Amino acid sequence: MSGASPSYGPRPWTFYLLALLFTLFVVFLYGPMIAVLVLSFQGPSASLVFPLRDPGFMWFDELFSPRRTGDVAGAFNRSLPLAILVMFMTVLISVTAGFAFRKRFRGSTAIFYMAIASLIVPGLVLSIGILVTFRYLGLSATWYGSALGAHLSWALPFGLLIMFAVLGRLNPSYEEAAHDLGASRWQTVREVVVPIVFPGMIAVALFGFTLSYDEFPRSWLTVGTKNTLPLEIWTMTTNVTSPALYALGTVTTIVSFAVIGLALSSIILIQRRRSRGK
């Protein structure tokens, strides 16, 4: 019968095995975050473990008290601008490099492999090398100098790989049509190419921000005397034994999910506008 729903046979045992593995993966991934979220609302008489007692917002207030939790506000004020700088520079360099690599030139292969080589270099080794280089040049390690370069060495290869893939799939006929209609090279890039590859640019920006925001190995020796947020969290695990650590984890997780949500919402909005314009 035409109106009958299609009939499917019993699922194979591999389906249930993969479903079980996926469920365990989700529990392993999000279970600790949920536990940290719940324990961040512990009361003043509670400990670092369950059960939850006298729930409140006390430990969120303690985050901004240097007497017990360290310089959390200062660490956040360094991590956030650093992540934003890395994000913008990653997008700028990745997009311009993506345009340059659309046409092969002498030495392009060597430059490409040199650009992504930092992905296989251990972060701590790179951090030591940058610190030694800065000291040799008589420069001080700072979050806006040495740490910025260290974070770019981690985020930039991901941005390059994304933009190479996005621009490599771009049909040249769109640009040729724009040139035929009298558009200049800059107008073609601004009004044709950039709107098409903009979702890829958002993905690059997301990688740049998140990889810098929670980077520890490349920050350890390059940020100088003032910690970034990941280093401050690591310090709190050795010096502070209170649920303030959980509160800090909750705040940083919310910030990360907010950035991811903003990026995904932007991509969805762009796609909807494109579908309406067709």
Side-chain angles (χ1 to χ4, degrees), residues 2-273:
S2 59
S5 59
S7 177
Y8 299 99
R11 291 190 174 98
W13 64 270
T14 53
F15 171 83
Y16 299 100
L17 176 61
L18 292 175
L20 176 61
L21 292 176
F22 179 76
T23 303
L24 292 176
F25 168 76
V26 171
V27 171
F28 182 80
L29 180 64
Y30 292 100
M33 288 192 296
I34 295 174
V36 168
L37 173 64
V38 173
L39 289 174
S40 63
F41 294 98
Q42 287 276 33
S45 61
S47 62
L48 291 171
V49 296
F50 286 102
L52 184 67
R53 301 173 182 173
D54 302 325
F57 296 92
M58 169 188 174
W59 301 110
F60 290 93
D61 296 332
E62 287 290 331
L63 292 179
F64 302 97
S65 175
R67 296 172 300 174
R68 301 186 62 175
T69 60
D71 189 18
V72 174
F76 180 79
N77 289 334
R78 287 182 287 273
S79 287
L80 185 60
L82 177 58
I84 293 174
L85 278 174
V86 172
M87 177 184 69
F88 279 108
M89 293 185 68
T90 300
V91 172
L92 178 62
I93 297 174
S94 299
V95 172
T96 54
F99 278 108
F101 274 81
R102 293 183 72 188
K103 296 182 179 179
R104 296 187 62 85
F105 55 88
R106 187 186 298 271
S108 60
T109 302
I111 295 175
F112 171 75
Y113 284 112
M114 289 176 61
I116 65 173
S118 60
L119 291 177
I120 62 175
V121 178
L124 289 176
V125 174
L126 185 64
S127 181
I128 294 172
I130 292 176
L131 178 63
V132 171
T133 302
F134 266 67
R135 287 184 175 178
Y136 178 78
L137 297 175
L139 302 174
S140 300
T142 58
W143 67 265
Y144 53 83
S146 54
L148 176 61
H151 286 203
L152 280 173
S153 70
W154 178 233
L156 190 56
F158 290 96
L160 291 175
L161 292 174
I162 293 174
M163 288 311 304
F164 287 171
V166 171
L167 289 173
R169 295 164 51 190
L170 180 64
N171 193 338
S173 62
Y174 294 119
E175 298 166 88
E176 295 173 359
H179 291 312
D180 293 340
L181 293 173
S184 64
R185 185 178 298 274
W186 170 242
Q187 286 177 321
T188 302
V189 172
R190 183 185 62 189
E191 300 179 12
V192 177
V193 177
V194 170
I196 293 176
V197 303
F198 195 68
M201 295 171 62
I202 294 177
V204 172
L206 180 61
F207 266 96
F209 183 91
T210 55
L211 290 176
S212 172
Y213 184 69
D214 62 358
E215 177 60 22
F216 179 85
R218 289 171 174 79
S219 304
W220 187 34
L221 299 175
T222 59
V223 296
T225 57
K226 301 293 186 178
N227 287 338
T228 55
L229 202 55
L231 295 177
E232 193 67 26
I233 293 175
W234 178 75
T235 302
M236 289 177 64
T237 60
T238 59
N239 297 334
V240 179
T241 55
S242 72
L245 180 61
Y246 297 145
L248 180 57
T250 299
V251 172
T252 55
T253 302
I254 291 174
V255 171
S256 298
F257 275 100
V259 173
I260 295 173
L262 179 62
L264 295 179
S265 300
S266 301
I267 294 176
I268 294 173
L269 181 61
I270 293 171
Q271 292 175 344
R272 286 182 178 178
R273 286 185 175 180

